[in-house]
Amino acid sequence: MDTVNPPANSMPVPKINIRTMAREDLAQWLEQYNEPHFRAKQIFEWLWIKGADHFDMMTNLPQSLRARLEESFVFHIAEVDIVQKSQDGTIKVGFTLHDGRTVEGVIIPTSKRITACISSQVGCSLHCSFCATGQLKRDRNLDFSEIVDQVRGLNELALDQFGRGLTNIVFMGMGEPLLNLEEVFRATEILTAEEAMNMASRRITLSTVGIARGIRKLAKRGSKFNLAWSLHAATNAKRAQIMDINKSNPIEEVVDSIKEFYAHTKRKVTLEYILFQKFNDSEEDARNLIKIAKEFPCFINLIEYNSVKGVSLERSTPTRSRRFLEILTDNGLEAHIRRSRGHDIDAACGQLAGKKQ
Ligand code: SF4
């Protein structure tokens, strides 16, 4: 770890990553050296608009201040490391963090949109049985700068590869965003700030396995983000077989929290439902799903499963998937089948596992 030179006989003081400092924290730090307030704005701009990665770049700051910053802070930047391209245009990117850990992000291009799927944690503590990330243990939460770095890195790559920047962001990569909610909020503040990345909140989706407490927090903040609930089975008994989280957050409790979310935000929720062959794709399963979906305004995404090593669940056949979809739409629900993308590079839903690790 980088340290500040200590006075004789005292412990070295660790340097702080300047990219985790909020603007108000910077202002406070500057105050002790009688620096004017506008310096905080200048430093913020260097960090989040101009993408500075060392203090010498901050040429509108006096040399003495740059030296002082250098003494107290370091830059931790998540660097693009491995880039893999799928035959269908999907790109998976491995990011190396300052401590050598790795997370993954994915770019999914279509004719209308370029979506970035990003991670919120290194590994995951929830161990959903069908998910490659769940086979890793949760190592640590990402800080907000590491989340923003993924978006910046993927945006640059999208501009380079497709001549267009990102249009949408989904927190659907490694980890559960609602278990790292404060850092996710701080990241979205930068992503949506007019003077930084200026993305509309409605272009950002938080995808959760259903943490009722976190959803209620989103509701209370009146967040204008989209919410997606990874449901994947429509009864508690069946869901608990594949998702441990259902034991502490049963379906009824999550449904109540989503109703609260809708009451505050008026935003339709997306239900994500992976179709597993002969596990959750019967007519009875569809009818159980309809009961949940009628509780609040929603869209349903039926997702094609991508095999994960060591997992016995399999993708539903096209016939069973089509029949399942038909039952939902015949009952007046808005649903469609989401085709799997990037599975040849293990970039599809549930396949991110930071293989380098
Ligand atoms: S599906 Fe999401 S919450 Fe479940 S193990 Fe995978 S990353 Fe974690």
Side-chain angles (χ1 to χ4, degrees), residues 115-134:
T115 302
C117 172
I118 58 171
S119 298
S120 53
Q121 297 180 309
V122 183
C124 184
S125 56
L126 298 181
H127 310 301
C128 303
S129 67
F130 50 84
C131 172
T133 311

Side-chain angles (χ1 to χ4, degrees), residues 228-296:
W229 180 20
S230 299
L231 182 61
H232 307 324
T235 62
N236 283 321
K238 200 168 267 198
R239 196 163 184 262
Q241 286 179 48
I242 54 169
M243 301 175 82
D244 283 352
I245 192 68
N246 202 83
K247 292 168 193 154
S248 53
N249 287 258
I251 289 173
E252 303 71 34
E253 207 176 303
V254 181
V255 166
D256 283 349
S257 67
I258 290 179
K259 284 181 182 168
E260 213 175 293
F261 175 85
Y262 184 78
H264 280 81
T265 64
K266 295 287 173 276
R267 298 200 70 76
K268 272 191 182 184
V269 171
T270 304
L271 293 184
E272 306 281 359
Y273 192 97
I274 303 177
L275 286 166
F276 298 113
Q277 170 81 352
K278 295 192 178 166
F279 173 74
N280 66 355
D281 63 350
S282 68
E283 295 203 4
E284 189 190 348
D285 292 311
R287 307 225 172 266
N288 287 331
L289 176 54
I290 290 166
K291 280 185 215 149
I292 297 173
K294 296 262 172 167
E295 295 269 354
F296 45 79

Side-chain angles (χ1 to χ4, degrees), residues 46 250 283 286 314 332:
W46 278 109
E283 295 203 4
E314 286 172 15

Side-chain angles (χ1 to χ4, degrees), residues 101-325:
R101 290 173 167 84
T102 307
V103 288
E104 292 175 338
V106 180
I107 303 174
I108 308 143
T110 64
S111 56
K112 289 193 190 135
R113 296 173 173 192
I114 300 199
T115 302
C117 172
I118 58 171
S119 298
S120 53
Q121 297 180 309
V122 183
C124 184
S125 56
L126 298 181
H127 310 301
C128 303
S129 67
F130 50 84
C131 172
T133 311
Q135 295 177 1
L136 310 169
K137 66 175 179 27
R138 188 194 75 90
D139 212 336
R140 69 171 173 86
N141 285 342
L142 295 184
D143 68 45
F144 80 92
S145 72
E146 292 167 326
I147 296 173
V148 174
D149 283 346
Q150 291 174 69
V151 177
R152 292 173 71 97
L154 296 177
N155 190 47
E156 273 169 30
L157 209 56
L159 286 167
D160 179 59
Q161 297 286 316
F162 308 110
R164 297 179 284 150
L166 302 176
T167 58
N168 295 69
I169 295 171
V170 292
F171 284 80
M172 213 180 263
M174 299 165 80
E176 163 55 53
L178 300 198
L179 292 182
N180 187 18
L181 199 47
E182 286 315 311
E183 294 301 314
V184 167
F185 277 144
R186 290 183 73 186
T188 52
E189 274 163 25
I190 303 268
L191 299 177
T192 55
E194 207 176 323
E195 72 275 26
M197 297 192 76
N198 197 19
M199 291 202 73
S201 307
R202 67 192 151 74
R203 301 265 177 203
I204 299 176
T205 300
L206 303 189
S207 173
T208 176
V209 285
I211 313 281
R213 193 166 32 98
I215 296 171
R216 291 205 166 93
K217 265 194 197 166
L218 289 176
K220 287 205 179 82
R221 279 177 79 120
S223 308
K224 294 293 178 203
F225 307 117
N226 300 305
L227 181 68
W229 180 20
S230 299
L231 182 61
H232 307 324
T235 62
N236 283 321
K238 200 168 267 198
R239 196 163 184 262
Q241 286 179 48
I242 54 169
M243 301 175 82
D244 283 352
I245 192 68
N246 202 83
K247 292 168 193 154
S248 53
N249 287 258
I251 289 173
E252 303 71 34
E253 207 176 303
V254 181
V255 166
D256 283 349
S257 67
I258 290 179
K259 284 181 182 168
E260 213 175 293
F261 175 85
Y262 184 78
H264 280 81
T265 64
K266 295 287 173 276
R267 298 200 70 76
K268 272 191 182 184
V269 171
T270 304
L271 293 184
E272 306 281 359
Y273 192 97
I274 303 177
L275 286 166
F276 298 113
Q277 170 81 352
K278 295 192 178 166
F279 173 74
N280 66 355
D281 63 350
S282 68
E283 295 203 4
E284 189 190 348
D285 292 311
R287 307 225 172 266
N288 287 331
L289 176 54
I290 290 166
K291 280 185 215 149
I292 297 173
K294 296 262 172 167
E295 295 269 354
F296 45 79
C298 66
F299 311 98
I300 302 175
N301 268 342
L302 301 175
I303 302 169
E304 292 180 333
Y305 185 55
N306 301 288
S307 57
V308 169
K309 205 170 160 205
V311 177
S312 57
L313 293 160
E314 286 172 15
R315 177 187 292 199
S316 285
T317 58
T319 316
R320 288 177 75 87
S321 305
R322 269 198 306 273
R323 176 70 194 126
F324 196 93
L325 175 66

